[in-house]
Amino acid sequence: DAHIDEIGFVVSGIRDDGLIAVACSGGIDTLILPTACVTVHGRRELCGIICDVPDDTDAPPKIKDLYIDTGCTVDEVRDTVAVGDPVTFRTDICRIGSSRLIGHSFDDKACAAALICAVADAPREELAFDISLVLSTREEIGGGGAAVAAHFLRADAAIVTDANFASGTGVP
């Protein structure tokens, strides 16, 4: 199993000034959010930027104090966006150095690619068991996709992949 979902947001309200309130979908570090570019997936897509309501503390912003500014009037926002609409990060894939790429959710994509390659390269005639490849969703909000797959497949064994931040001497 490799999960292929992404963190993001769900529209939770529209203020009278047209700013869009959101709730988190997945574990999101609010420190990285102010000035992040996002897409609101309403009746049509709207680009926006996350802004915060400044206060007098150095505490990390709370999601309830962050809003999306699309530059649209309140009427334009209300005609296009509804509570419950998804919001995703806008990111580009960039090349760094001569042989590396960076981009949003590459941890999930790398795990999925590794499993697909492993299954494709498996010598089928030599295996005494079946292989099922699961690319699940809902990992960021409780793991429901993998749980459903596990219940359905009733496998004797599983290999689950994920990636995380690495640091230390010699880590490229």
Side-chain angles (χ1 to χ4, degrees):
D1 173 71
H3 67 94
I4 55 171
D5 54 349
E6 297 185 15
I7 59 174
F9 310 92
V10 175
V11 172
S12 61
I14 300 170
R15 293 180 10 161
D16 290 338
D17 58 4
L19 295 177
I20 300 169
V22 294
C24 292
S25 179
I28 298 177
D29 181 352
T30 59
L31 285 174
I32 68 164
L33 296 181
T35 74
C37 294
V38 295
T39 299
V40 182
H41 301 276
R43 288 193 178 114
R44 65 180 171 87
E45 290 186 351
L46 292 179
C47 296
I49 188 166
I50 297 179
C51 52
D52 62 345
V53 177
D55 61 20
D56 294 332
T57 70
D58 291 330
K62 292 181 173 50
I63 195 67
K64 69 178 184 61
D65 297 325
L66 298 174
Y67 298 93
I68 298 171
D69 187 349
T70 63
C72 296
T73 67
V74 66
D75 291 334
E76 291 172 314
V77 172
R78 288 190 172 137
D79 287 344
T80 307
V81 177
V83 170
D85 285 347
V87 178
T88 57
F89 289 100
R90 296 179 62 86
T91 58
D92 295 324
I93 295 173
C94 300
R95 181 177 298 281
I96 57 173
S98 61
S99 62
R100 295 185 184 157
L101 297 174
I102 57 173
H104 186 61
S105 299
F106 265 23
D107 59 333
D108 302 342
K109 293 172 178 97
C111 291
L115 288 178
I116 290 167
C117 289
V119 170
D121 290 345
R124 286 163 179 70
E125 64 279 352
E126 298 175 22
L127 298 178
F129 50 84
D130 293 329
I131 296 178
S132 297
L133 175 62
V134 175
L135 302 177
S136 62
T137 60
R138 304 184 63 77
E139 182 271 345
E140 293 292 346
I141 54 173
V148 170
H151 178 77
F152 177 77
L153 293 171
R154 299 195 185 281
D156 294 322
I159 298 172
V160 179
T161 61
D162 202 350
N164 206 339
F165 300 105
S167 62
T169 305
V171 176

